[in-house]
Amino acid sequence: MRTVTVVGASLSGLYAARELRAQGFDGRLVIVGDEPHHPYDRPPLSKDFLTGRAGETQLALADAEETAELEAEWLLGVRARGLDARGRTVLLHDGRTVSTDGVVIATGASARRLPGNGLVGVHTLRTLDDARALRAELSRGPRSVVVIGGGFIGAETASSCAGLGHDVTVVEAAPLPLVPQLGPEMAAVCAALHRRGGAGLVTGIGVAGLRGSGTVTGVELADGRVLPADVVIVGIGATPNTGWLAGSTLALHDGVLCDDGCVTALPQVVAVGDVARVGGARAEHWTSATEQPRVAVRNLLAGRTVESARSLPYFWSDQYGARIQFAGRRHAADTVRITEGALDDGAPAEGGLLAQYKRGGRTTAVLSIDRPRPFMKARRELARSEDPVEPAAAVAS
């Protein structure tokens, strides 16, 4: 290959560029990004950046020296609008085209929005520009904040807002936040963190709409109640950025369909990060975005799938001063038991807790709240006990 184009100046895009150079690719490297910024770290946006403990320079994922060493051609502030995969051309919105031999798709995902949420005071939190706007609004004095969605982004943002002294209410349509990830027992424990952190939590009810004329004034719930709001933060998940691939020969279904090695139906095109549906699953986690590029690049340069990207799932979240860590593959039928620590009024007692999920006497996942050392040991044991990885499956075209 003489030219490889990475579409997406994201965490996974940067890691793919690094891997290309590390694995010996010395040809033309083009990195296309729809934001005007060089790659930055997103997890701090809802935490240290929002609260002012971190500035923009601390978000940068690479310094000037490393960026120069990549010897890449950066095309920032321009979106890709199409991929002629067989013709090996990336089409850009400004009319330019990039002829390429290989493509790494790393376009990530975009925050879902509520219908008609163009009111002033309504925010999402996915990008640096989103975080800039929200931080500026929160700095204007005490606000009534309603967070729609109790997932990780919603919970972390609610935690930051409460820590800044704002009046915060989290609205979650499900009976408890984080049930799909943690199961009902441990989701209830994490829900108690909201109460302990001073935020209100409304569960089991959906949002009917937003109130206000020009500027948001409240959130109307499905049961008719209205929660007053000066600021509304919508954290209802994300949609993979695949629209620019419509009309291409790639298979798309909640992401770009890939085999276990991140390879699409076309061996010269791989996908990584939030946009990639690898081996039937799409994972929006930092670890996936950093681990998949090594395998994807190896397979891209080999021209076929020679290695699988399958690894033990892991994620973490910081909420109300507590660090939540989870590793493994939990299923609905698993049982869960706290093996270290205890609860205090439904929330983790001082010193945190460690919980293990089991199925048929075998540990399938582990959850820690403020017990990092026991968690890391349990995570290593869990990784060693994983079943051997099967050969990478072919992706459907």
Side-chain angles (χ1 to χ4, degrees), residues 1-5 17 20-21 24-30 69-73 101 301:
M1 290 185 176
R2 292 192 295 182
T3 300
V4 174
T5 301
L20 281 160
R21 294 309 191 203
F25 176 72
D26 59 2
R28 182 189 180 207
L29 174 57
V30 182
E69 288 175 351
L70 285 175
E71 296 183 342
E73 181 180 338
D101 303 302
L301 296 178

Side-chain angles (χ1 to χ4, degrees), residues 114-132:
L114 291 174
N117 68 344
L119 297 172
V120 174
V122 179
H123 298 263
T124 57
L125 187 53
R126 184 79 187 183
T127 69
L128 175 56
D129 291 339
D130 291 340
R132 284 172 171 170

Side-chain angles (χ1 to χ4, degrees), residues 75 77-82 89-99:
L75 304 180
V78 58
R79 287 184 294 136
R81 67 174 179 85
T89 303
V90 176
L91 313 175
L92 305 181
H93 257 281
D94 61 6
R96 285 180 289 174
T97 61
V98 180
S99 297

Side-chain angles (χ1 to χ4, degrees), residues 327-341:
R329 308 178 197 278
R330 187 196 74 85
H331 294 271
D334 293 356
T335 59
V336 61
R337 182 172 68 90
I338 295 174
T339 56
E340 294 187 24

Side-chain angles (χ1 to χ4, degrees), residues 103-105 250 256-273 275-281 288-289 291-300 304-310 392-393 395:
V103 176
V104 179
I105 298 172
L250 300 183
V256 179
L257 270 62
C258 308
D259 65 15
D260 286 344
C262 303
V263 180
T264 71
L266 298 170
Q268 74 271 23
V269 180
V270 297
V272 293
V275 74
R277 192 170 185 82
V278 179
S288 299
E291 291 175 357
Q292 290 172 356
R294 181 189 63 80
V295 173
V297 165
R298 183 183 177 200
N299 294 333
L300 177 67
R304 60 188 179 90
T305 301
V306 296
E307 185 177 348
S308 169
R310 184 178 172 86
V395 64

Side-chain angles (χ1 to χ4, degrees), residues 171 173 202 204-209 219-227:
V171 179
V202 178
I205 190 72
V207 170
V219 175
E220 183 178 356
L221 303 182
D223 62 4
R225 284 180 291 168
V226 176
L227 303 177

